[in-house]
Amino acid sequence: MRTNLIVGLTLLAVAFTIGTIDIYAPCLPVMQGEFAVTAAHMQWTVSVYTIASGICSVFIGPLADAYGRRPFVIYSLLGLVISSFGCALTSHIGVFTSWRFVQGLLGAVVPVLSLAILSDILDRKYLGKVLAWMGSTVTFSVAVAPMLGGFLGQHFGWRSIFYFIAVGMFFMWFILARELHETGSPHKNMSLKTILSEYLPLCRDPVVWGFATINPLILGGFVSYITTSSYYYIQVLGLSISTHGYIIGISIFANVLVSLWVSHLIERFEPLVIFKAGVALAILGVAFFGAFIVADMTNPYLLIIPCAFVSAALGCVFP
């Protein structure tokens, strides 16, 4: 029972932290006007989060092995509360971007260490199913976040989005501080040499590079689409902030369905077969995107079709 509770809480924490990446995407044009900056500068506030997250991901694993998983998870959630208030309260784009960088550093901790925690407490067969659920959780949060952000931004202003994140992170911190116990075996032996000794063999392995590259390429395409489409849909096509959020949410919902399906398929098929199917879906989705561009199709609802293929691809590739 306690294991199931930790699994559920971990997936919920991942959903909250991943959702901070793009939850305010529908409000980017409004924020651009308030901060008096270019569209590229506002999109950079999304990119700076992912860059910081990538930097932190390299070091958080060895640090957690040395000093324990629990303290990093707990304190990162508390830090996300503070940084979310920082984003909500500032009126300067430089300060906002800095807080987003801090959010990216802290936001990487829970998704990375969740994998480690689940690996610690679950057997291999059940772990595969839970990773499929996590894949659906990740993309579901990416899908729902713009819908929720669009609604909040439309009715309460963009700052309410970051107040919402702060409150959500506070509740996750409060619950996990009580329920999560240390699952690793801290050894208090941390050095740059140790980190390099763990990563260098992986960096020399072309198979690792392949698996490590394909997933972020697909996810990166998604994030790019989400952050740029808000300008096109809202400023060019005249859609409302909330409608844009709903379109993005529907586009990505295919991932949730496929991820749940994969959680059952993973018991019958080799993971590599499912992975290859995901790559094929991604290629098909990109081909549809290319065809729509060549045909100059501008209907935002038709663009749901290629988005759904790429979204389904993530559902196969991530687990």
Side-chain angles (χ1 to χ4, degrees):
M1 179 63 181
R2 181 170 184 80
T3 298
N4 291 336
L5 176 63
I6 295 302
V7 169
L9 289 174
T10 300
L11 294 180
L12 187 60
V14 169
F16 264 100
T17 52
I18 293 294
T20 60
I21 297 174
D22 68 333
I23 188 171
Y24 68 106
C27 296
L28 286 175
V30 175
M31 296 171 69
Q32 176 189 344
E34 184 168 330
F35 283 122
V37 294
T38 63
H41 204 146
M42 286 311 308
Q43 291 170 4
W44 170 245
T45 65
V46 179
S47 299
V48 77
Y49 180 105
T50 57
I51 291 171
S53 181
I55 294 171
C56 181
S57 297
V58 174
F59 297 99
I60 192 59
L63 282 169
D65 288 340
Y67 300 104
R69 323 234 194 265
R70 184 182 183 277
F72 286 101
V73 170
I74 300 304
Y75 289 120
S76 68
L77 289 171
L78 192 57
L80 283 167
V81 174
I82 298 170
S83 58
S84 297
F85 276 120
C87 288
L89 295 173
T90 185
S91 298
H92 189 278
I93 187 61
V95 177
F96 180 83
T97 304
S98 299
W99 278 122
R100 285 292 290 169
F101 184 83
V102 173
Q103 279 192 322
L105 291 174
L106 298 170
V109 175
V110 171
V112 172
L113 294 190
S114 292
L115 295 173
I117 291 170
L118 294 174
S119 298
D120 292 337
I121 64 177
L122 301 177
D123 61 62
R124 185 178 182 276
K125 187 175 182 179
Y126 189 41
L127 177 62
K129 292 176 67 71
V130 172
L131 287 182
W133 298 340
M134 181 177 285
S136 66
T137 300
V138 168
T139 313
F140 183 76
S141 63
V142 172
V144 171
M147 298 171 65
L148 179 59
F151 174 81
L152 292 173
Q154 183 88 24
H155 297 284
F156 305 104
W158 67 265
R159 296 179 191 275
S160 66
I161 296 172
F162 291 94
Y163 288 129
F164 171 81
I165 295 173
V167 172
M169 292 299 179
F170 176 81
F171 278 109
M172 290 308 309
W173 167 80
F174 181 78
I175 296 172
L176 283 173
R178 293 166 57 90
E179 299 294 338
L180 181 63
H181 298 299
E182 182 57 53
T183 63
S185 301
H187 49 69
K188 301 293 189 300
N189 181 22
M190 174 65 188
S191 67
L192 182 60
K193 183 178 180 180
T194 303
I195 296 177
L196 292 175
S197 67
E198 292 178 349
Y199 278 114
L200 283 177
L202 297 177
C203 293
R204 297 192 187 103
D205 191 336
V207 176
V208 171
W209 274 103
F211 281 107
T213 302
I214 292 174
N215 195 62
L217 275 177
I218 300 174
L219 187 59
F222 251 131
V223 173
S224 299
Y225 171 72
I226 290 169
T227 56
T228 56
S229 65
S230 61
Y231 292 93
Y232 181 71
Y233 288 171
I234 296 171
Q235 293 184 337
V236 178
L237 300 184
L239 299 182
S240 68
I241 293 175
S242 57
T243 301
H244 168 259
Y246 295 142
I247 289 176
I248 295 298
I250 294 170
S251 302
I252 304 177
F253 193 68
N255 174 271
V256 179
L257 299 177
V258 171
S259 294
L260 294 175
W261 189 36
V262 167
S263 70
H264 297 288
L265 291 179
I266 207 165
E267 296 179 339
R268 300 177 54 190
F269 297 97
E270 287 294 322
L272 189 58
V273 174
I274 300 174
F275 181 85
K276 289 179 178 178
V279 174
L281 284 172
I283 293 172
L284 190 60
V286 171
F288 269 117
F289 263 122
F292 280 24
I293 292 171
V294 171
D296 197 25
M297 293 186 182
T298 58
N299 189 320
Y301 299 99
L302 284 178
L303 287 173
I304 291 175
I305 298 173
C307 273
F309 275 103
V310 181
S311 178
L314 266 177
C316 295
V317 169
F318 180 82

